[in-house]
Amino acid sequence: MKFLPLLLANLRRKKVRTILTIGSFAVALFLFGLLAAVSAGFRQGIDIAGADRLIVIGRTGVIQPLPVPYMERIRRLAGVKDVAHAIWFGGVYQDPKNFFSQFVVEPEQWRGMYPEFELPDDQWEAWKADRQGIVIGTKLAQRFGWKIGDHVPLKAPGYLGGGAWDFNVRGIYRGTRPQDDQGQMWIQYKYFYEKAPSYWQGIVGWYIVRVQDPGEALRVATAIDHEFANSASETRTQTESAFAASFMKQMGNIEFLIMAIGSVVFFTLLLVTGNTMAIAVRERTGELAVLKAVGYSDRFVLGFVLAESILIAAVGGAIGLWLARGMAEQDITGGILPMYLSGQALATGAAVALGTGLLAGLLPAVTAMRLSVVDALRRI
């Protein structure tokens, strides 16, 4: 710490270059953080999928509804612990750009199926008692400024007959894990069947199945599909992670383009930044030789140069990652892609920044360390 003033004095000598170098690191690590958050958003469903949950959809796709009687037939199969059903609502709040997930569910089924979503008991009871009641996630509440007791109108899509549907906020859930999706809306299934067109009676969108033993998930999935084989509504059952992965593949090219372009820009910034730092160190080789002349060891010179390089990298990297984390917490995708910057990504970014700072200063530092005092002073 006693040499910190000397380090800072060197950095203040050419303030513009120091600021630009730190800024380059900040931009590079900001981009790194955004790429990590985007990647996490694309893979969120896979990473948090329950190992003991299966998704049952129509064989031709999720748009094919399934009969309500399937629920009890699934429940009777060996290895099945619980079953729930859901329907995609797809309503519009004020503007079509205000996209967010809306599921029509049965409260008790949903609570048992997704224990990672926490909701106080009094709010559960209030939701169950109000057919027009809804439960929303904390991020959705923050996004629109909703609170318990608020009235929320939604315009129903064409396949539900259009028109206005009125809801009352009865609960706000939160996820027990940072990456849990807290941007959903849960709608009472009783109200849905009362107001939806008659052709929606007796059908649901898909089933969620909880198995007793995660190791038996594939066997149970096969049994479910076999149960409804050759029926009018055949099924395709997948583990929750496999279902999320198949959904993600629909946007795979977008993710690849974002990651490829961002990665090229990121590494270009790092190379330019590293080169700038190396030049700055080489310019002071003669000054470092003076330190050696007055008695400082070769190891001190090596450590001094590396410390300066790593300090710049650390400051710039910290600024960039801090900005990236703040950006990831904002709803910049309008609810389409829930971005999340994990602690592991932050640690990786910090390691990349420090590693780049170390590599950028290593060659000039070694060169300065090995130079004889006489040869180095000739460069002054």
Side-chain angles (χ1 to χ4, degrees):
M1 293 297 294
K2 64 180 180 180
F3 296 109
L4 183 60
L6 182 57
L7 281 174
L8 297 178
N10 283 331
L11 295 177
R12 288 195 296 265
R13 291 178 56 195
K14 293 189 176 181
K15 297 180 181 179
V16 174
R17 183 169 64 187
T18 299
I19 293 173
L20 291 177
T21 305
I22 292 175
S24 297
F25 260 105
V27 171
L29 270 297
F30 173 73
L31 180 57
F32 172 86
L34 282 186
L35 290 175
V38 168
S39 179
F42 275 104
R43 298 191 57 84
Q44 184 181 48
I46 301 173
D47 295 337
I48 66 175
D52 60 345
R53 288 194 293 257
L54 303 174
I55 305 296
V56 184
I57 63 175
R59 188 168 184 81
T60 59
V62 73
I63 61 173
Q64 176 191 345
L66 296 173
V68 170
Y70 277 19
M71 185 169 185
E72 291 306 317
R73 293 176 63 180
I74 294 173
R75 194 188 303 275
R76 289 195 296 266
L77 294 175
V80 173
K81 182 178 181 180
D82 203 0
V83 187
H85 58 68
I87 301 172
W88 176 261
F89 187 75
V92 173
Y93 177 68
Q94 296 181 339
D95 191 288
K97 295 180 180 179
N98 295 331
F99 175 86
F100 56 92
S101 301
Q102 306 155 26
F103 302 126
V104 178
V105 301
E106 197 284 322
E108 288 300 330
Q109 295 176 3
W110 207 249
R111 188 177 194 181
M113 192 62 62
Y114 292 96
E116 61 266 35
F117 295 141
E118 291 187 343
L119 185 69
D121 290 339
D122 60 330
Q123 295 182 24
W124 274 109
E125 295 303 322
W127 180 35
K128 289 165 57 179
D130 183 3
R131 293 195 175 201
Q132 293 180 247
I134 56 174
V135 171
I136 59 176
T138 54
K139 287 190 176 180
L140 188 61
Q142 294 170 3
R143 178 180 173 188
F144 295 114
W146 293 339
K147 60 184 182 300
I148 293 177
D150 281 357
H151 173 72
V152 177
L154 294 181
K155 181 180 179 181
Y159 59 82
L160 292 178
W165 291 48
D166 297 321
F167 301 99
N168 305 309
V169 179
R170 296 304 181 196
I172 300 177
Y173 76 87
R174 71 175 187 88
T176 57
R177 301 167 297 183
Q179 65 269 39
D180 285 332
D181 185 0
Q182 301 179 80
Q184 301 177 10
M185 173 187 287
W186 306 337
I187 301 170
Q188 273 264 26
Y189 80 106
K190 293 179 180 179
Y191 180 55
F192 174 83
Y193 284 121
E194 286 178 357
K195 197 170 177 63
S198 58
Y199 53 77
W200 277 94
Q201 301 300 316
I203 58 176
V204 297
W206 64 91
Y207 289 101
I208 308 98
V209 179
R210 198 166 192 177
V211 298
Q212 295 176 355
D213 181 5
E216 293 289 306
L218 293 180
R219 183 195 62 78
V220 175
T222 302
I224 293 173
D225 292 340
H226 180 74
E227 176 73 14
F228 305 111
N230 300 318
S231 67
S233 300
E234 294 186 310
T235 62
R236 184 167 80 248
T237 306
Q238 302 170 283
T239 61
E240 195 173 60
S241 60
F243 176 78
S246 65
F247 183 79
M248 187 190 72
K249 287 180 180 178
Q250 299 177 21
M251 298 183 289
N253 290 336
I254 297 177
E255 181 189 14
F256 173 77
L257 288 174
I258 293 174
M259 299 301 292
I261 295 173
S263 297
V264 171
V265 175
F266 168 67
F267 283 109
T268 301
L269 281 170
L270 286 185
L271 290 174
V272 172
T273 303
N275 183 61
T276 302
M277 293 174 62
I279 292 174
V281 172
R282 290 192 185 98
E283 288 179 351
R284 296 203 316 277
T285 301
E287 299 173 14
L288 296 173
V290 173
L291 291 177
K292 296 174 69 174
V294 297
Y296 288 100
S297 67
D298 291 344
R299 288 186 178 182
F300 173 84
V301 172
L302 176 68
F304 184 75
V305 173
L306 290 179
E308 181 178 338
S309 179
I310 292 174
L311 179 61
I312 292 176
V315 173
I319 294 173
L321 292 174
W322 176 73
L323 292 174
R325 186 169 188 176
M327 183 66 72
E329 293 176 352
Q330 304 300 316
D331 187 24
I332 61 176
T333 63
I336 296 176
L337 187 67
M339 298 170 63
Y340 168 71
L341 190 58
S342 66
Q344 181 180 359
L346 290 172
T348 302
V352 169
L354 295 177
T356 302
L358 178 64
L359 291 175
L362 184 59
L363 182 58
V366 172
T367 301
M369 179 186 71
R370 291 179 175 176
L371 274 176
S372 67
V373 176
V374 175
D375 292 337
L377 290 176
R378 289 174 182 171
R379 301 187 180 187
I380 299 178

